[in-house]
């Protein structure tokens, strides 16, 4: 179980301004803190607090450095104490003596806050150094801990589990910063769960310096748990029915801030609004029900974007889009996308309709497009008209179910072929990242596509086409990374010669087998022009070493083929490269050498931007 609760919607509530709301806690893997860990985690907070408590100003801009030496404690603790001790205002005898007394007082406060209430300190000031001899003495530990819930929260599994995991334990060393953080975090969790009237009816920490013991008593009176009330949107051109479809909870359900956060996140990601603010309206809460207020002014209806890139395979390339974010009050949207390069030009327009039951993750889309493709002396002109249903399922897979009509004119070896196809298709894709114990961070992506056509369903030929692309990035450490990519594809058709060029497979180039030109790994015609294959297999492995955060050097090896059968030759390429993660996008420069075939000439692969 994981609970995070730095919730903006609560922070803006006039009844929930307790400092606890600013704490954020995750207790999926909490463990009982050790003595050293307590010191490390609490020291910064405690020392900062001690500085604020001090009434003596030290460390002025004109202060001169003066040596300070602390003995009797671990080096790490001594170093931290020295860093917060400050400097004398000057090195005059009176200023140094005043600084000496100030340092003694401050360090006693700090050590007491860390549980060392009986620490002793002896200082010796000379003309060139201040020496401090510390004896921590017996640490103060908890002799009794009583943390209780009363009210409806007494039955809350989230609150009781957090107390069980995070509350101080008997015999554990007292660290005041840990105690204050636990107290604030417990209240903050109660607030995120809808216990808006929660408050401590008792909170007492009694410390006995003589016995080096502390007794803790905390009683949180949660009050009643509020339920979700109606969700009220600010005035909008979008219909109330459409806006209510975004709400992920039902009125009358127990309040939980995660539902409010999801609503705010989905509305921000929808593309309709310029800003989004979602909060429980506690001033209008009645009978344990709190309405939810949404303030979300619409963004400008139109936006445009342009992207420029360059690659040795494509030359300069341009991407552009024009989007109408809302066409009507039902949330429909429309847009035009274009991508232009020397050998490929494509223009697509779409009309999108959010779909029940979840408009954040479901929509229907109609598409119409035109594309021109040039491959050596072969060319293809394609017109498409179709639609698709897009959704994101519960496992975070993006699913697309499509049906499109395609009319393509291909010219190959001087012969023109016109093909009309009605193509149903389906695709699944997902990108994920996770940390694996002992292995570091792993990021991976999956893209699987299947499409088909049948003469019995208004197509000129029969075919089945499958394509799979797997990618991964594995960070062994902050500097060492391994990139991998695998592509598989095949086409089944008794009339492959009539399969349009745009559906065939090619290999070679910047994003395929480096060391070879784009589409160079492919079956060819009598004149040596690439005509595309029935099968595709490529594999790429690349090791990257980061010289700094935005710059890395790499060594790679690529292999694969695109052909008609398993007898087609396999191409190999390898080389070195440079990756720069620039503000305008990744810039990649590779020098690849073919490791198979007769031509072993090195080839430069350069790409910038999307």
């Amino acid at each position: 179980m994981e609970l995070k609760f730095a919730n903006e919607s609560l922070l803006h509530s006039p009844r929930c301004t307790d400092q606890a709301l600013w704490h954020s806690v995750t207790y999926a893997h909490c463990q009982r803190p050790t003595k050293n860990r307590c010191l490390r985690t609490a020291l910064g907070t405690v020392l900062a607090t001690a500085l604020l408590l001090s009434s003596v100003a030290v460390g002025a801009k004109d202060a001169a450095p003066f040596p300070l030496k602390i003995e009797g404690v671990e080096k790490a603790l001594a170093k931290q104490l020295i860093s917060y001790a400050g400097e004398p205002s000057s090195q005059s005898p009176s200023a140094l003596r005043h600084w000496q007394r100030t340092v003694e007082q401050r360090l006693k406060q700090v050590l007491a806050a860390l549980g060392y209430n009986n620490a002793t300190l002896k200082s010796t000031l000379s003309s060139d150094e201040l020496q401090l001899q510390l004896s921590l003495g017996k640490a103060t530990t908890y002799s009794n801990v009583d943390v209780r819930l009363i009210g409806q929260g007494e039955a809350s599994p989230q609150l009781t589990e957090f107390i069980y995991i995070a509350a101080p334990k008997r015999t554990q060393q007292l660290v005041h910063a840990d105690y204050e953080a636990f107290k604030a975090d417990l209240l903050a969790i109660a607030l995120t769960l809808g216990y808006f009237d929660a408050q401590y009816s008792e909170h007492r920490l009694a410390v006995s310096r003589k016995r080096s013991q502390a007794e803790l008593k905390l009683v949180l009176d949660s009050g009643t748990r509020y339920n979700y009330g109606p969700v009220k949107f600010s005035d909008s051109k979008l219909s109330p029915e459409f806006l209510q479809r975004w709400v992920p909870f039902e009125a009358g359900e127990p309040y939980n801030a995660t539902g409010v956060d999801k609503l705010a996140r989905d509305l921000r990601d929808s593309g309709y609004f310029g800003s989004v603010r979602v909060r429980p309206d506690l001033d209008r809460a009645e009978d344990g029900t709190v309405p939810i207020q949404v303030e979300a002014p619409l963004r400008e209806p139109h936006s445009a974007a342009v992207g420029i890139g360059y690659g040795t395979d494509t030359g300069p390339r341009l991407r552009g889009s024009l989007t109408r974010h809302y066409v009507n009050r039902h949330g429909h949207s429309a847009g035009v996308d274009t991508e232009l390069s020397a050998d490929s030009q494509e223009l697509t327009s779409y009309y999108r309709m959010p779909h029940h039951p979840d408009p954040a993750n479901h929509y229907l889309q109609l598409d119409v497009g035109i594309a021109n493709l040039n491959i050596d002396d072969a060319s293809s002109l394609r017109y498409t008209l179709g639609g698709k249903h897009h959704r994101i399922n519960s496992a975070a897979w993006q699913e697309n179910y499509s049906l499109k009509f395609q009319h393509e004119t291909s010219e190959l070896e001087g012969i023109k072929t016109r093909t009309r196809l009605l193509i149903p298709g389906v695709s699944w894709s997902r990108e994920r990242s996770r940390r694996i114990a002992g292995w570091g961070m792993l990021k991976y992506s999956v893209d699987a596509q299947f499409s088909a056509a049948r003469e019995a369903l208004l197509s000129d030929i029969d075919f089945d086409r499958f394509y799979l692309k797997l990618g991964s990035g594995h960070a062994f450490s902050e500097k060492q990374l391994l990139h991998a990519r695998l592509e598989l594809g095949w086409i089944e058709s008794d009339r492959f010669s009539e399969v349009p060029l745009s559906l065939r497979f090619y290999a070679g180039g910047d994003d395929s087998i480096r060391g070879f030109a784009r589409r160079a790994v492919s079956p060819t015609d009598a004149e040596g022009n690439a005509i595309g294959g029935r099968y595709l297999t490529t594999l790429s492995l690349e090791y990257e070493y980061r010289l700094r955060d935005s710059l890395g050097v790499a060594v790679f090896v690529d292999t694969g083929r695109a052909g008609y059968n398993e007898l087609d030759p396999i191409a190999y390429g390898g080389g070195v490269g440079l990756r720069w993660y620039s503000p305008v996008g990744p810039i990649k420069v590779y020098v690849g050498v073919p490791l198979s075939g007769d031509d072993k000439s090195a080839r430069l692969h350069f790409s910038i931007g999307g």
Side-chain angles (χ1 to χ4, degrees):
M1 179 183 296
E2 184 170 315
L3 227 169
K4 298 181 180 179
F5 50 88
N7 182 34
E8 180 182 359
S9 62
L10 288 174
L11 290 174
H12 292 288
S13 170
R15 293 174 59 184
C16 297
T17 55
D18 194 286
Q19 183 65 25
L21 287 172
W22 292 97
H23 289 266
S24 180
V25 133
T26 301
Y27 62 94
H29 305 289
C30 288
Q31 298 177 351
R32 182 174 178 176
T34 63
K35 174 182 176 181
N36 288 338
R37 201 173 83 194
C38 286
L39 293 177
R40 288 195 302 270
T41 57
L43 188 58
T45 303
V46 173
L47 293 176
T49 303
L51 285 176
L52 292 175
L53 293 174
S54 175
S55 60
V56 181
V58 295
K61 291 183 179 179
D62 57 348
F66 194 83
L68 172 61
K69 184 178 181 180
I70 298 178
E71 297 179 342
V73 296
E74 295 180 356
K75 290 183 179 180
L77 177 58
K79 185 177 180 180
Q80 289 287 339
L81 294 174
I82 290 173
S83 68
Y84 282 93
E87 294 288 345
S89 58
S90 70
Q91 294 190 13
S92 66
S94 60
L96 290 175
R97 288 193 298 271
H98 184 76
W99 177 59
Q100 179 184 12
R101 293 191 297 270
T102 301
V103 171
E104 290 178 353
Q105 294 171 0
R106 179 174 295 114
L107 295 192
K108 287 180 180 179
Q109 291 176 330
V110 170
L111 293 172
L114 291 173
Y116 297 106
N117 291 283
N118 296 308
T120 59
L121 185 152
K122 182 179 180 181
S123 64
T124 303
L125 177 65
S126 63
S127 59
D128 58 356
E129 184 181 61
L130 174 61
Q131 292 185 346
L132 296 176
Q133 182 67 40
L134 294 182
S135 177
L136 296 179
K138 185 179 180 181
T140 300
T141 58
Y142 289 100
S143 61
N144 186 48
V145 176
D146 182 11
V147 181
R148 287 184 288 148
L149 296 166
I150 60 175
Q152 289 186 1
E154 186 177 2
S156 168
Q158 294 96 328
L159 293 175
T160 55
E161 182 178 359
F162 180 70
I163 290 174
Y164 175 77
I165 294 174
K169 307 297 188 295
R170 289 184 69 252
T171 72
Q172 180 178 319
Q173 182 173 334
L174 167 66
V175 178
H176 286 267
D178 288 349
Y179 158 70
E180 293 294 343
F182 167 74
K183 186 173 72 169
D185 289 343
L186 178 59
L187 179 59
I189 293 177
L191 294 172
T192 64
L193 294 174
Y195 299 99
F196 294 121
D197 299 322
Q199 59 181 342
Y200 285 106
S201 58
E202 289 189 62
H203 51 97
R204 183 172 63 90
L205 179 64
V207 178
S208 171
R209 294 184 59 184
K210 183 177 180 180
R211 298 194 308 270
S212 297
Q213 292 181 345
E215 295 186 359
L216 169 63
K217 185 172 184 179
L218 277 178
V219 180
L220 178 64
D221 184 355
S222 69
T224 59
R225 186 177 186 181
Y226 283 68
N227 295 326
Y228 290 116
V231 179
K232 300 179 181 179
F233 287 83
S234 57
D235 293 338
S236 175
K237 295 180 181 179
L238 300 176
S239 71
E241 296 79 12
F242 173 69
L243 293 173
Q244 289 295 329
R245 284 164 50 190
W246 292 84
V247 180
F249 48 81
E250 297 289 340
E253 292 180 354
Y255 180 92
N256 193 319
T258 57
V260 175
D261 291 340
K262 185 179 188 308
L263 174 59
R265 184 172 58 252
D266 289 346
L267 292 176
R268 291 189 187 102
D269 295 341
S270 68
Y272 298 117
F273 307 102
S275 62
V276 174
R277 184 169 180 245
V278 183
R279 61 182 180 86
D281 193 352
L282 294 173
D283 290 336
R284 291 179 170 80
E286 294 182 358
D287 301 324
T289 299
V290 57
I292 308 300
Q293 183 65 40
V294 180
E295 299 174 8
L298 289 173
R299 65 182 297 174
E300 292 295 322
H302 295 95
S303 68
V306 176
I308 300 174
Y310 179 84
T312 49
D313 286 340
T314 63
R317 57 181 182 267
L318 174 69
R319 291 178 179 174
S321 65
L322 177 64
T323 305
R324 171 80 179 190
H325 298 285
Y326 44 91
V327 174
N328 52 34
R329 63 197 309 266
H330 304 297
H332 295 187
S333 58
V336 177
D337 296 318
T338 184
E339 183 171 350
L340 306 174
S341 64
D343 61 359
S344 177
Q345 303 85 40
E346 185 170 358
L347 178 67
T348 304
S349 63
Y350 66 87
Y351 187 88
R352 183 174 297 172
M353 298 164 283
H355 188 264
H356 289 288
D358 182 3
N361 297 318
H362 294 69
Y363 61 80
L364 296 174
Q365 181 169 303
L366 302 177
D367 300 279
V368 59
I370 180 174
N372 183 63
L373 177 66
N374 295 287
I375 305 172
D376 294 335
D377 290 337
S379 63
S380 166
L381 180 62
R382 182 177 77 251
Y383 300 92
T384 57
L385 174 65
K388 69 178 179 181
H389 175 261
H390 170 91
R391 79 182 188 109
I392 301 177
N393 64 25
S394 58
W397 284 91
Q398 296 195 45
E399 299 178 355
N400 287 288
Y401 301 91
S402 63
L403 179 65
K404 70 177 179 180
F405 176 77
Q406 174 175 313
H407 182 281
E408 183 166 347
T409 301
S410 301
E411 184 171 354
L412 183 63
E413 297 179 312
I415 301 175
K416 285 189 177 182
T417 304
R418 290 182 175 85
T419 308
R420 291 171 297 182
L421 300 169
L422 183 65
I423 307 175
V426 60
S427 68
W428 297 271
S429 62
R430 181 168 73 167
E431 293 185 4
R432 297 291 294 273
S433 62
R434 59 182 300 186
R435 184 171 294 279
I436 303 176
W439 285 85
M441 180 63 71
L442 174 66
K443 295 183 178 180
Y444 67 91
S445 62
V446 181
D447 183 11
Q449 305 171 15
F450 177 77
S451 58
R454 292 293 182 269
E455 291 185 70
L457 296 176
L458 307 178
S459 295
D460 290 340
I461 60 172
D462 293 349
F463 77 83
D464 297 302
R465 185 181 190 272
F466 175 79
Y467 174 77
L468 174 67
K469 182 177 182 179
L470 305 176
S472 70
H474 185 191
F476 295 98
S477 66
E478 292 183 356
K479 291 184 175 295
Q480 300 185 76
L481 300 93
L482 179 66
H483 306 277
R485 183 186 68 249
L486 172 67
E487 286 183 292
L488 298 173
W490 68 82
I491 299 173
E492 290 292 338
S493 177
D494 293 336
R495 297 159 61 183
F496 181 78
S497 61
E498 298 180 46
V499 173
L501 294 179
S502 63
L503 297 176
R504 301 185 185 188
F505 294 114
Y506 304 84
D510 297 345
D511 298 317
S512 183
I513 306 174
R514 288 162 289 189
F516 296 84
R518 189 185 191 191
R519 302 191 183 102
V521 181
S522 162
T524 58
D525 60 16
E527 298 179 359
N529 299 312
I531 58 175
R534 180 191 297 266
Y535 301 105
L536 173 71
T537 306
T538 68
L539 175 64
S540 174
L541 295 174
E542 178 176 333
Y543 170 79
E544 178 186 358
Y545 184 83
R546 289 283 177 88
L547 301 176
R548 57 175 186 263
D549 289 344
S550 60
L551 184 65
V553 293
V555 58
F556 67 87
V557 60
D558 300 334
T559 183
R561 64 184 171 189
Y564 288 128
N565 53 51
E566 64 276 4
L567 299 179
D568 290 298
I570 298 176
Y572 299 91
V576 296
L578 187 71
R579 286 173 171 245
W580 178 32
Y581 301 91
S582 76
V584 299
I587 297 177
K588 304 175 185 178
V589 181
Y590 296 100
V591 177
V593 177
L595 302 178
S596 60
D598 297 330
D599 186 1
K600 297 298 191 294
S601 302
R603 175 175 291 272
L604 177 67
H605 296 274
F606 174 79
S607 64
I608 178 173

